[in-house]
Amino acid sequence: MITAINHIVKNVQDRLFDSVVSNRLIYNTCWEDPRLDRQLLQMNRDSQVVMLTSAGCNALEYLLDNPASIDCVDVNPAQNALLNFKKALFQHGDYKLLWNFFGRGYHKKAAIVYRQKLADLLPEEAQNFWDTHINYFSQTAGEPSFYYRGTSGKVALMMHQMIRRKGLYSNVLNLLDSQSLAEQKYYFEEIDPNIWSSFYKWLLKRDTTMAMLGVPKTQRNMIESEFKGGLLPFVRSSLRHVFTQIPIRDNYFWRVYLTGSYTPNCSPGYLKREYFDFLQSKMPAISTHTQQLTRFLEQNPGSYSHFILLDHMDWMANTKPGMLAMEWELILKNARPGARILFRSAGKTNNFLPDFVFDYVNFNHKELTHKLHQKDRVGTYGSTHLGIVA
């Protein structure tokens, strides 16, 4: 009886997650630190990259290493539409316009600019999405920024509103502007005890909240089984590490999450003025594909040098072994010797991978990945993994 109930609950949780992530914008910005990625990946002009799209920020960042091609794959058309919108802004060639949309997070005339200057630069699928969602860039009292749109953006907005309601926003700004770790720690200690009310503890435990953040049940189970006390202590410990152990001055991930915008000195590389012309010239190197990774590799066989899988492995870990094995078989079939495979996990190890993977991929880089993982400005993953194909 208990087994049957657990099966029903799992099915409900899976359907909830699938319904959220299938066709809605989940990630309005990437939550993987490309500064670390670029050190691990070591791309060059011969690199042919396959990666999951997410919000497209990191794909644009990787272009700074001048790879030959980047194929961005995502089953969610909204995520590819977002990357294509960013590409259109580069193709249009107006840096100020790019900054208004994605630096400030809004444009006063977003709909007009879109119709007159950007829509025709988009592929049909992306244009269909933005025809009905361009209001994401219209600033309103309730939703002041694009970064508070989409499902993960809604969670960020709740956090932003709570911080303001509790009178903590000035301390948050002081924290983000801190010039030393001692200063960061001081402001963090002023903030931390005041944000974990019973309501927000409850909210963090809801399956709906996790789905909105793009966190599947399998990933949550990893945290709860490996971290003492479960999800809440993991989150609190992660935030303490990020805000008190790593210099905050260039942590654009948490700045945009907490304030809804970037600053010129604290923003992703693709938004830096000095890189605009170079990235504009590299836009043809990026292609988007709305399909599963396995289908992409079946339809686009090649000899790829890099695979960037984000935390995608967690979605299948311990629950879909057949799908996980099929994906790795296709990755290895299409990987050139020496290809680098990068992914993150909510767990502390990669022992959930199929056994045959370890026969062909060398993961003996734990000292380097652990060292860099400790410097990760996002701080919400349990581990980082780099594999090199034999």
Side-chain angles (χ1 to χ4, degrees), residues 214-285:
V215 178
K217 184 65 175 178
T218 51
Q219 200 167 53
R220 180 173 166 177
N221 288 342
M222 277 186 173
I223 296 171
E224 292 178 342
S225 65
E226 294 187 17
F227 199 88
K228 185 178 181 180
L231 185 61
L232 182 61
F234 171 80
V235 171
R236 295 192 70 172
S237 175
S238 297
L239 293 180
R240 177 171 292 278
H241 177 77
V242 166
F243 289 114
T244 67
Q245 302 298 316
I246 303 173
I248 199 74
R249 54 185 171 271
D250 64 351
N251 193 326
Y252 60 80
F253 304 95
W254 286 100
R255 177 174 287 276
V256 78
Y257 192 87
L258 294 169
T259 70
S261 63
Y262 299 111
T263 67
N265 293 325
C266 189
S267 61
Y270 83 93
L271 289 175
K272 301 289 189 183
R273 179 65 185 90
E274 60 264 34
Y275 300 135
F276 183 80
D277 292 341
F278 175 77
L279 290 177
Q280 183 185 29
S281 72
K282 290 292 294 181
M283 284 303 111

Side-chain angles (χ1 to χ4, degrees), residues 21 33 43 47 57 84 213 215 227 229 263 308 338 343:
V21 304
D33 192 340
M43 296 180 193
S47 298
C57 320
N84 278 305
L213 289 169
V215 178
F227 199 88
T263 67
I308 304 165
F343 66 93

Side-chain angles (χ1 to χ4, degrees), residues 98-122:
L98 173 71
W99 178 258
N100 283 335
F101 274 97
F102 288 103
R104 293 199 303 169
Y106 68 92
H107 195 291
K108 292 180 179 179
K109 298 180 180 179
I112 295 174
V113 170
Y114 168 72
R115 288 194 300 269
Q116 294 183 353
K117 299 181 178 182
L118 301 173
D120 290 343
L121 297 174
L122 293 169

Side-chain angles (χ1 to χ4, degrees), residues 289-300:
H289 310 267
T290 303
Q291 55 190 162
Q292 292 182 340
L293 180 60
T294 51
R295 180 61 62 85
F296 168 80
L297 291 172
E298 288 171 342
Q299 295 181 351
N300 300 272

